[in-house]
């Protein structure tokens, strides 16, 4: 190779160019080339200068582009250079020929002349041709004549794309196709700029384009061309009449915004025609009308009316002369309205992102070509239908197929475009022979279960039978179990309304269609009327809101009292506000503006007036904690008249969050009783829980409660179907092989037992077989545990197909998923299936999850309630009691974690005596598969307890500090605040004094028993602003569309890198975005719309690093909170340590997974910062004896430690009031091979710790013995255990790598070591 430096001027006259050649060996020589010389001339000069290069191939490159022989040797830009490459391939071929000749000579063989060899070769080919001709003649008499191979030009074309390219259009349609080509280039340019084409904007560039032409294009290809009239004012739009997404009028419905240009003087309410071009769905004809004329990828684009905004590369990729004419007119389209000072050249704008813009232009070119191909296909389909009718009408019997001949019959005359249009409209329902050809790549999602192609209405009962029949059609039935739960009739005591409440309330109930109360509603209203504190625990959709709304409304109408409603989420508060407005719209004595929501979204300017006028104030625990309680004196009028406190969805208040809320309610009671002398009446509503009264007492601090549990609301029959995706064929083969190997090993063992050999020989033989079995494969390759033997079809794909099946049969459904990404994937699969079936319901499904804006979630809720949406893929955000109307089917992807959550989700369907169906789709995990094999264990499982520990020392200190800021704290005396906060309040006050947060009265520290707050706070807001009830990240990452600069979504910082990283596929409402850039400092993720056939999955490692170095607590008897299950528990002592720890998540790589098959096809390494937080842990070491015992038995230590850790979590609620979200253990990934410390560790799952680990440490010995007893006494025979022993619903690794017998070995070894340690401690004493 050689390098040529930049050409330069010689003598300043531009007559010759000087080229300096430098070889890789260091030699150099100059060349002078005449101006205008070609590359061929330069090559000739190079060979003449260096004859040694004769016979080599010379290639010249400029800027990475290979120069042709006719290119001129000229480059006007300074600093550039030409690269000259010498290819010696030609010389090597000649040398190889000479070497072969020399080799033949050396072997004493005759040397063959090349000319003689060529003649021999021709003679051989001639003989072969003669033989083939004779074979063909002899085959003429055979029964199966051999058909001669046709020339390539006359072979039959089988693909739609090839036919569209080869078959010309009739004369009447060619002109329309040319006009569409012009239109497609302009629309492609506008789409690339992020602009929405309009009729007025298009006519500026294409004056020949008129509305009749657009109407004709739309009529021929309704799947490609769509139009819609919109206006700039919401009052003229269809969107303001209740359609999906109708928030900002018609332009909001199209996703566009009306922006007037400098020369646009039209009013914003003037109608405008929107023109869109689309690519038809896979497998559908371009003549198939689109059910929704709006494509999702145009939802963010601006509308072009009077002016345009130019912001990218000019799209001028010519494909034909008609496109070239349109491209030359593009600068006129933006002239005078461009907002950039950059000029437009023939190659576009020169900017740092020119390569990126060029890539976008190339992608848009491909899109334009697809539009043109599909439009031509639509025209050919119409012409083909007319041609078939023409041939059927002929009587001469001659046949002519345009698909084979690639031409039309000479006598075929379709007429003008207008005449063809009439035929096209009449034959819109007819399918041409061209449309019946299935395009390549349009296959359905892989899997044996396929939804029905024909959409038909079904009721729940017939749909269940239909589904079970389809599930049994394959080689392995998906229907694992069907549970029929009978319904219940309506129960009512028939108490007249006038005996329960005032006449005004009765009229309000009648206005919403309620003329009789259920029995549980009657009992609740009567109990509230008697002044009792009430807790009602009935299933979902039983009318619990009526139980408290009616007596509260009755009390407010008869007095000047106020009511406080507390809901766990903002969505529930807004839902209750709508219900109250509907109930009270005609009630005299209570204005609608006296009912309001006070939360973080309430404008600060409106808060004072809202609370001052409120009779019913709706809020959440967070705003009550941060704003209302610290400023209770500012809201004197409301709090001094507060009579009713309603806590809805009380079962949600559990664990650390529930403990926080319990302390907030105690602070509220303390303020009301000590400052305003008010004793409020409580009303709690909850789903079914095991300890309703105890939970109400712990949550509020009130002892006397009346419970209402017998549900009197009617309920239809419910069917619960367990759906287990079948095994893959490869998994079946691997399972069969392992069974055969196991049988062979057992036979060998039996033969060895009968043999007359010594015990040592038997042990050595057995040990050798064990090592041989483990050699070359993973140690956990067992029949039920190995992934290659239990790999099933994707449950996510099955879930999407089931959702599509429900929608096809007009059944309203919700698909519950554990994570946000799973809900988006289920939506993607369901839409892909529906689009592949050409179903009109592809746009009638949506996703619902956290991260969406409040307006977006409200729109989805309203659309589901009104029936505009038929299906929703949701997280547990829809688990709570938001009213979304009557549902028919609920789908559950995996076990949600608790039995109460499963029944809460299933209760969303089947309201008002309608039959309902719930389908539980199982993952491969051990917990789901256990329920598939033992379904009765699921339905017989008891509902969990709701646990609260309001005496948690860490939480108590935080809220005691907040309480002292609201009102001085009394920790001693008869009227002390111990009645609210418990007996440990005094020690908490002393601890706060040491931290400098509380102090006595300096004037009389001994006489005044009160504690005063003396600390600071954020911006003077007090200590409440520093106490987070939910441990929610206040810092978020913003996902921004790089093309439109619009905010797509916000993601919490702790979850950001699980969803957004460079190369990630981010999904939002079924749309896919490719993450292109992360701005770490600004916490912004730039994304771009992309049509991808895969999704990404992150690979990460979670580590708990112990950072401390000494034990923090002794092993003596410690105080236990009075809320524990057994207050007489005596710590047995243990060597467990309590240490600070650091929880860190490392992001290793991400995988690209094909959406249609679920196979990983690429893995990309990541370099992202760790997500870390400080916490506290309590741990105990696993002795080496456990490893030795398990290795002897051929078991894995990590499987035993993982199972034993789960057993510790399962028995932890017996000793501490905690939730599964409060404490965690180290879980093992089945694909993980790195070393882990051999220990049993429990840590606090919230930043800073929650006090759980500090209470675990002195009780570790008790917990170990309880866990050992739990595992030993569990009757299950599963090798991986069951939910009653070593499974845990919140395991992040889906209960993989578990071994029940190994867990017993680990626990026994730890307990034995603990007994030895206790003996040493006794000797030391």
């Amino acid at each position: 190779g050689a390098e040529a430096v930049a050409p330069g001027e010689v003598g300043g006259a531009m007559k010759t160019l000087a080229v300096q050649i430098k070889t890789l060996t260091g030699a150099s020589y100059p060349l002078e080339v005449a101006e205008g010389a070609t590359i061929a001339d330069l090559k000739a000069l190079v060979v003449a200068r260096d004859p040694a290069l004769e016979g080599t191939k010379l290639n010249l490159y400029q800027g990475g582009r290979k120069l042709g022989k006719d290119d001129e040797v000229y480059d006007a830009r300074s600093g550039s250079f030409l690269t000259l490459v010498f290819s010696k391939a030609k010389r090597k071929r000649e040398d190889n020929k000479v070497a072969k000749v020399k080799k033949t000579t050396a072997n004493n063989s005759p040397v063959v002349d090349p000319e003689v060899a060529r003649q021999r070769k021709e003679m051989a080919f001639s003989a072969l041709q003669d033989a083939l001709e004779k074979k063909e003649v002899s085959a003429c008499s055979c029964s199966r004549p051999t058909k001669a191979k046709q020339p390539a030009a006359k072979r039959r074309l089988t693909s739609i794309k090839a036919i569209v390219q080869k078959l010309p259009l009739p004369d009447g349609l060619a002109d329309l196709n040319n006009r569409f080509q012009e239109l497609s280039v302009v629309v492609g340019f506008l789409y690339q700029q992020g602009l929405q084409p309009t009729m007025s904007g298009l006519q500026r560039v294409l004056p020949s384009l008129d509305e009749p032409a657009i109407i004709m294009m739309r009529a021929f290809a309704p799947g490609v061309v769509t139009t819609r009239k919109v206006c700039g004012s919401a009052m003229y739009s269809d969107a303001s009449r209740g359609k999906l997404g109708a928030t900002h009028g018609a332009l909001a419905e199209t996703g566009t915004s009306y922006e007037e240009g400098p020369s646009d003087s039209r009013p914003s309410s003037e109608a405008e025609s929107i023109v869109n071009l689309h690519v038809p769905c896979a497998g559908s004809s371009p003549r198939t009308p689109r059910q929704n004329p709006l494509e999702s990828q145009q939802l963010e684009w601006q509308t072009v009316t009077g002016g345009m905004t130019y912001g990218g590369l000019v799209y001028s990729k010519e494909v034909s002369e008609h496109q070239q004419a349109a491209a030359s007119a593009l600068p006129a389209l933006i002239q005078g309205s461009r907002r950039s000072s950059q000029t437009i050249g023939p190659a576009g704008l020169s900017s740092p992102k020119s390569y990126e813009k060029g890539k976008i232009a190339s992608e848009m070119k491909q899109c334009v070509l697809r539009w043109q191909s599909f439009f031509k296909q639509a025209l050919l389909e119409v012409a083909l239908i007319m041609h078939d009718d023409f041939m059927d009408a002929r009587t001469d019997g001659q046949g002519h197929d345009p698909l084979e001949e690639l031409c039309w019959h000479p006598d075929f005359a379709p007429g003008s475009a207008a005449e063809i249009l009439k035929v096209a409209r009449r034959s819109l329902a007819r399918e041409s022979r061209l449309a019946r050809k299935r395009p390549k790549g349009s296959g359905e999602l892989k899997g044996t279960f396929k939804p029905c192609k024909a959409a038909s209405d079904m009721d729940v009962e017939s749909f269940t039978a239909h589904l079970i029949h389809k599930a049994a059609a394959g080689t392995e039935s998906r229907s694992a179990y069907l549970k029929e739960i009978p319904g219940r009739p309506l129960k009512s005591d028939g108490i007249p309304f006038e005996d329960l409440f005032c006449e005004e309330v009765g009229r309000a109930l009648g206005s919403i269609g309620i003329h009789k109360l259920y029995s549980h509603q009657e009992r609740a209203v009567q109990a509230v009327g008697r002044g009792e504190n009430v807790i009602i625990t009935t299933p979902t959709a039983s009318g619990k809101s009526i139980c408290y709304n009616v007596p509260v409304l009755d009390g407010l109408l008869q007095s000047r009292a106020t009511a406080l409603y507390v809901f766990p989420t903002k969505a529930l508060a807004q839902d209750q506000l709508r219900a109250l407005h509907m109930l009270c719209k005609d009630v005299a004595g209570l204005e609608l503006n006296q009912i309001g929501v006070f939360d973080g979204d309430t404008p600060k300017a409106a808060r004072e007036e809202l609370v001052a006028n409120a009779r019913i104030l709706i809020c959440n625990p967070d705003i009550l904690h941060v704003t209302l309680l610290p400023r209770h004196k500012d809201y004197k009028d409301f709090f001094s008249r507060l009579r009713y406190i309603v806590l809805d969805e009380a079962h949600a208040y559990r664990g650390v969050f529930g403990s926080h809320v319990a302390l907030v309610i105690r602070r509220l009671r303390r303020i009301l009783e000590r400052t305003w002398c008010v004793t409020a009446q409580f009303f709690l509503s909850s789903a079914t829980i095991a300890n309703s009264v105890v939970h109400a007492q712990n949550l509020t601090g009130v002892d006397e409660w009346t419970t209402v549990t017998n549900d009197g609301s009617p309920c239809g029959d419910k069917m619960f179907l367990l759906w287990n995706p079948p095994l893959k064929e490869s998994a079946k083969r691997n399972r069969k092989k392992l069974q055969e190997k196991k049988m062979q090993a057992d036979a060998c063992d039996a033969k060895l037992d009968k043999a007359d050999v010594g015990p040592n020989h038997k042990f050595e033989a057995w040990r050798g077989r064990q090592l041989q079995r483990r050699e070359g494969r993973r140690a956990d390759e067992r029949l039920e545990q190995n992934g290659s033997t239990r790999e099933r079809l994707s449950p996510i794909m099955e879930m999407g197909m089931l959702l599509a099946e429900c929608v096809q049969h007009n059944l309203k459904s919700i698909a519950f998923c554990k994570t946000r990404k799973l809900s988006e994937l289920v939506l993607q699969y369901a839409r892909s299936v529906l689009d592949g079936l050409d179903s009109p319901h592809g746009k009638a499904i949506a996703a619902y999850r956290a991260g969406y804006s409040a307006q977006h979630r409200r729109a989805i809720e309203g659309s589901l309630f009104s029936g505009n949406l038929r299906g929703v893929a949701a997280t547990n955000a829809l688990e709570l009691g938001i009213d979304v109307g009557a549902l028919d089917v609920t789908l559950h992807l995996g076990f949600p974690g608790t039995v109460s959550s499963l029944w809460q989700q299933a209760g969303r369907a089947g309201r008002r005596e309608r039959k309902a169906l719930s389908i539980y789709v199982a993952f491969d995990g051990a917990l789901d598969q256990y329920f598939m094999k033992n379904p009765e264990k699921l339905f017989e499982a008891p509902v969990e307890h709701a646990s609260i520990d309001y005496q948690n020392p860490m939480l108590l200190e935080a809220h005691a500090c907040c309480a002292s800021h609201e009102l001085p704290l009394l920790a001693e005396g008869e009227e002390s605040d111990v009645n609210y906060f418990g007996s440990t309040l005094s020690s908490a006050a002393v601890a706060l004094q040491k931290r400098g947060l509380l102090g006595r009265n300096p004037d009389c520290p001994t006489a005044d028993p009160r504690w005063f707050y003396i600390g600071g706070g954020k911006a003077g807001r007090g200590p409440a602003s520093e106490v987070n009830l939910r441990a929610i990240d206040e810092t978020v990452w913003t996902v921004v569309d790089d093309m439109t600069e619009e905010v797509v979504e916000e993601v919490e910082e702790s979850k950001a890198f699980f969803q957004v990283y460079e190369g990630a596929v981010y999904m939002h409402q079924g749309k896919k975005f490719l993450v292109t850039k992360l701005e770490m400092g600004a916490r912004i993720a730039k994304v771009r719309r992309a049509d991808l056939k895969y999704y990404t999955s992150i690979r990460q490692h979670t580590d708990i690093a112990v950072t401390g170095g000494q034990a923090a607590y002794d092993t003596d008897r410690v105080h236990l909170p009075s809320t524990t299950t057994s207050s007489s528990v005596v710590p047995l002592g243990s060597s467990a340590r309590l240490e600070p720890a650091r929880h860190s998540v490392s992001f290793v790589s991400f995988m690209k997974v094909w959406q249609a098959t679920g196979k990983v096809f690429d893995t990309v390494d990541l370099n992202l910062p760790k997500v870390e937080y400080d916490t506290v842990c309590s741990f105990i070491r696993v002795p080496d004896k456990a490893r030795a015992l398990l290795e002897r038995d051929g078991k894995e230590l990590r499987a035993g430690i993982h199972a034993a850790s789960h057993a510790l979590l399962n028995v932890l609620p017996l000793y501490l009031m905690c939730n599964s979200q409060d404490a965690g253990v180290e879980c093992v990934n089945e694909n993980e091979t790195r070393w882990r410390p051999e220990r049993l560790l429990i840590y606090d799952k919230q930043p800073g710790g929650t006090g759980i680990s500090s209470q675990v440490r002195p009780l570790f010995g008790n917990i170990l013995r309880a866990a050992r007893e739990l595992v030993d006494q569990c009757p299950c025979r599963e090798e991986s255990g069951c939910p009653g022993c070593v499974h845990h619903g919140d395991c992040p690794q889906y209960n993989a790598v578990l071994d029940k017998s190994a867990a017993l070995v680990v626990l026994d070894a730890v307990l034995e070591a603990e007994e030895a340690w206790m003996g040493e401690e006794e000797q030391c004493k």
Side-chain angles (χ1 to χ4, degrees), residues 539-845:
T540 307
S542 58
K544 289 191 289 290
S545 60
I546 293 295
C547 296
Y548 56 79
N549 280 335
V550 168
V552 168
L553 180 59
D554 182 56
L556 297 187
L557 292 178
Q558 299 182 28
S559 65
R560 295 183 61 254
T562 59
L564 180 67
Y565 284 24
V566 182
F567 293 89
T569 64
K570 296 179 182 178
L572 280 171
Q574 295 291 337
D575 185 68
Q576 189 58 226
L577 178 65
R578 290 191 293 269
L580 282 172
H581 279 180
M582 186 177 299
L583 177 64
C584 305
K585 60 182 178 180
D586 297 326
V587 174
L590 184 64
E591 302 293 336
L592 294 183
N593 62 358
Q594 293 179 320
I595 306 173
V597 172
F598 191 126
D599 57 21
D601 298 333
T602 306
K604 293 185 178 181
R607 293 183 177 183
E608 300 293 336
E609 183 179 358
L610 173 64
V611 181
N613 297 330
R615 298 288 305 279
I616 299 179
L617 188 63
I618 305 173
C619 69
N620 52 55
D622 309 85
I623 205 71
L624 179 63
H625 158 67
V626 175
T627 304
L628 291 175
L629 294 184
R631 299 184 56 193
H632 64 94
K633 294 181 180 179
D634 297 337
Y635 308 129
K636 172 183 176 182
D637 189 53
F638 177 81
F639 282 111
S640 62
R641 296 183 289 123
L642 184 58
R643 178 178 172 184
Y644 302 101
I645 299 176
V646 176
L647 298 178
D648 197 10
E649 304 293 343
H651 61 278
Y653 304 122
R654 60 177 68 193
V656 173
F657 173 58
S659 302
H660 273 297
V661 175
L663 290 168
V664 171
I665 298 301
R666 282 163 168 78
R667 287 161 49 196
L668 172 62
R669 288 182 50 228
R670 175 173 172 264
I671 290 174
L672 293 177
E673 295 173 5
R674 293 196 178 278
T675 305
W676 310 113
C677 300
V678 172
T679 301
Q681 185 178 355
F682 282 90
F683 190 103
L684 273 64
S685 69
S686 170
T688 303
I689 53 177
N691 58 337
S692 58
V693 176
V694 175
H695 182 60
Q697 293 172 345
N698 292 334
L699 185 60
T700 62
V702 179
D703 295 331
E704 300 297 330
W705 287 91
T706 298
T707 60
V708 178
T709 57
N710 296 325
D711 187 9
S713 62
C715 178
D717 297 339
K718 179 181 287 292
M719 286 164 283
F720 215 114
L721 179 63
L722 302 190
W723 187 276
N724 198 17
L727 289 169
K728 292 183 178 180
E729 293 299 325
S730 59
K732 294 178 182 178
R733 291 193 297 268
N734 293 338
R735 178 170 289 197
K736 185 177 180 180
K737 290 178 182 178
L738 284 180
Q739 287 177 340
E740 293 175 355
K741 290 182 180 179
K742 187 177 180 181
M743 293 175 62
Q744 292 175 2
D746 294 341
C748 185
D749 292 339
K751 184 177 180 181
L752 186 62
D753 292 336
K754 295 180 181 179
D756 188 14
V757 295
N760 292 335
H761 179 74
K762 287 185 178 182
F763 176 75
E764 292 297 331
W766 173 85
R767 184 178 181 183
R769 287 197 309 275
Q770 292 297 324
L771 294 175
Q772 185 178 8
R773 289 173 181 175
R774 295 199 300 269
E775 185 179 358
R777 67 189 185 198
R778 295 177 50 186
D780 65 341
E781 186 175 272
R782 297 184 291 271
L783 181 61
E784 294 296 334
Q785 193 69 19
N786 180 28
S788 63
T789 62
R790 60 179 177 82
E791 189 175 10
R792 298 180 178 273
L793 294 178
S794 171
I796 311 172
M797 190 182 300
E798 298 271 317
M799 188 80 160
M801 291 182 177
L802 286 171
L803 180 59
E805 182 82 347
C806 295
V807 171
Q808 278 288 83
H809 295 293
N810 197 21
L811 295 172
K812 290 182 63 176
S813 56
I814 292 182
F816 287 102
C817 308
K818 286 187 176 182
T819 64
R820 303 179 185 184
K821 191 162 194 173
L822 285 178
S823 64
E824 294 285 357
L825 281 174
V826 168
L827 176 65
Q828 281 274 342
Y829 282 124
R831 281 187 177 171
S832 299
V833 170
L834 293 173
D835 290 344
L837 299 175
D838 295 337
S839 172
H841 307 312
K843 299 298 181 182
I845 54 178

Side-chain angles (χ1 to χ4, degrees), residues 232 257-270 303-309 339:
S257 58
Y258 192 98
E259 182 179 356
E260 297 183 1
S263 60
D264 190 6
S265 59
R266 295 177 302 171
S268 60
S269 61
E270 182 178 341
T303 300
V304 181
T305 53
M308 283 184 51
T309 301
R339 298 179 182 177

Side-chain angles (χ1 to χ4, degrees), residues 1238-1272:
E1238 297 171 358
R1239 63 194 179 192
L1240 297 176
L1241 180 144
I1242 298 176
Y1243 71 95
D1244 296 350
K1245 294 177 69 173
Q1246 294 189 15
T1250 58
I1252 300 297
S1253 296
S1254 62
Q1255 299 178 67
V1256 165
R1257 189 259 173 187
L1259 295 172
F1260 221 121
N1262 306 65
I1263 297 172
L1264 282 172
R1265 287 166 175 78
R1268 202 275 179 211
E1269 183 180 355
L1270 175 71
V1271 178
D1272 185 45

Side-chain angles (χ1 to χ4, degrees), residues 244 280-284 290 292 294-297 299-300 443-445 451 796-805 807-808 822-848 852 856 860 863 868-873 1067-1073 1089 1093 1155:
L244 174 61
C281 299
S284 61
R290 300 183 65 84
N292 188 347
L294 304 175
E295 187 70 6
S296 60
Q297 64 182 359
L299 288 181
E300 296 87 5
E444 297 173 341
L445 295 175
I796 311 172
M797 190 182 300
E798 298 271 317
M799 188 80 160
M801 291 182 177
L802 286 171
L803 180 59
E805 182 82 347
V807 171
Q808 278 288 83
L822 285 178
S823 64
E824 294 285 357
L825 281 174
V826 168
L827 176 65
Q828 281 274 342
Y829 282 124
R831 281 187 177 171
S832 299
V833 170
L834 293 173
D835 290 344
L837 299 175
D838 295 337
S839 172
H841 307 312
K843 299 298 181 182
I845 54 178
Y848 184 97
Y852 293 162
H856 196 175
I860 296 175
S863 299
N868 290 337
L869 282 180
R870 296 192 177 192
V872 171
M1067 288 176 283
H1068 178 88
Q1069 274 301 331
K1071 297 182 294 183
K1072 285 186 177 180
F1073 295 84
R1089 279 298 307 278
K1093 304 302 180 185
Q1155 185 171 332

